[in-house]
Amino acid sequence: MTPSKRTARIIAALDVEKRIDAISLVADLRGKVSLFKVGSRLFTAEGPGMISEISDAGGSVFLDLKFHDIPATVAGSVRAACGLHVFLMTIHTAGGYDMMKAAADEAAAFADRSGLPRPKLVGVTVLTSMSEEDLAEASGYGGSVEDLVLKRAELAKKSGLDGIVASVKEAGRIREALGDGFIIVTPGIRPAGSAAGDQKRIATPRDAIEAGSDYLVIGRPIYQAESPGAAADAILAEMGESGK
Ligand code: C5P
């Protein structure tokens, strides 16, 4: 399959603080988007009950808490997230091989024990809000963002993760190096005419699909729109496929 023929789907980021706002976004997007990101903002404010509410409303949850800790702690967090029945979750690749392997083993053990599908694990590589200069300042790393993202993606695959989170700028190289079955999740998506905000490595929905992305995480361009439903429709049209 060539990258441009892949079917990509939107994950709407529910980056709001109130349960009522999250649920109203899920309702506004009914029939257009069925995957929703619960990140640290909503999870910290409203707790795990949010996840069952979204499921009850017919959505599937991408739990983006970017676990990054010692292997035993991350394994415990993954076990807890599996119990919440999310379909996708993030850990941070900067935690290294042992941490990612412990997380992947834990998700597999959950599936064996429960007979339920194994939630997919994706590794955050380098935040899309970081430029090369930001990365050098924060870590002392002097190479390119793209090289580091690829290195971390390779390690994620070796550790048993299902995929990674990266910007569209790196997606093409990752797809080429790691093959079709590896999940690529791309945030930093900005439809034509929308504001970048704090994101630095941004691209359009069409670029994301052409680069081989499987899931486009879209926050502000949808939840800050006057009509989130209309904004989602416009993005789906730009994607040229159902995307639901
Ligand atoms: O509002 P915007 O579309 O920029 O939101 C992007 C979403 O993707 C946010 O929820 C952010 O936490 C998430 N994300 C990101 N970069 C990563 C991983 C996740 O922007 N590397």
Side-chain angles (χ1 to χ4, degrees):
M1 192 191 274
T2 60
S4 58
K5 298 249 177 66
R6 298 181 75 82
T7 303
R9 300 177 72 192
I10 293 178
I11 300 177
L14 304 174
D15 289 333
V16 293
E17 259 157 56
K18 294 204 175 84
R19 180 198 152 270
I20 186 103
D21 294 334
I23 289 303
S24 115
L25 260 170
V26 172
D28 284 351
L29 296 172
R30 184 185 289 276
K32 305 172 196 300
V33 175
S34 59
L35 309 176
F36 299 95
K37 185 195 117 153
V38 174
S40 55
R41 188 172 174 187
L42 183 59
F43 194 84
T44 305
E46 291 289 2
M50 216 42 255
I51 291 162
S52 44
E53 277 206 63
I54 294 166
S55 307
D56 291 347
S60 297
V61 172
F62 167 37
L63 185 64
D64 183 23
L65 297 180
K66 304 181 177 66
F67 299 135
H68 183 188
D69 209 313
I70 58 171
T73 300
V74 167
S77 305
V78 167
R79 194 178 326 129
C82 286
L84 297 174
H85 305 300
V86 301
F87 92 100
L88 189 67
M89 72 177 96
T90 48
I91 62 173
H92 206 298
T93 58
Y97 176 85
D98 288 349
M99 189 204 84
M100 289 192 275
K101 170 91 168 53
D105 288 350
E106 195 59 50
F110 167 82
D112 283 349
R113 258 194 329 269
S114 66
L116 294 168
R118 186 173 61 83
K120 305 256 187 257
L121 286 174
V122 288
V124 173
T125 53
V126 175
L127 294 174
T128 44
S129 57
M130 293 190 85
S131 67
E132 215 134 281
E133 295 71 42
D134 298 331
L135 184 63
E137 186 184 47
S139 65
Y141 170 80
S144 76
V145 170
E146 202 175 308
D147 287 346
L148 182 61
V149 169
L150 190 66
K151 209 173 156 70
R152 287 182 169 175
E154 282 165 351
L155 191 63
K157 188 169 186 187
K158 196 171 141 203
S159 315
L161 297 199
D162 301 285
I164 47 83
V165 184
S167 91
V168 172
K169 312 268 177 229
E170 300 99 35
R173 251 180 94 188
I174 294 170
R175 179 62 69 218
E176 210 176 281
L178 299 180
D180 264 348
F182 199 60
I183 298 173
I184 301 181
V185 179
T186 53
I189 304 296
R190 289 296 178 267
S194 57
D198 57 357
Q199 296 284 23
K200 295 190 182 149
R201 303 190 337 270
I202 57 172
T204 67
R206 192 70 241 156
D207 291 339
I209 294 172
E210 277 165 14
S213 174
D214 297 295
Y215 297 102
L216 282 56
V217 183
I218 308 183
R220 285 161 289 189
I222 292 180
Y223 73 77
Q224 285 183 346
E226 206 168 305
S227 162
D233 277 337
I235 295 168
L236 288 168
E238 198 177 330
M239 290 165 70
E241 52 193 303
S242 91
K244 291 174 197 165

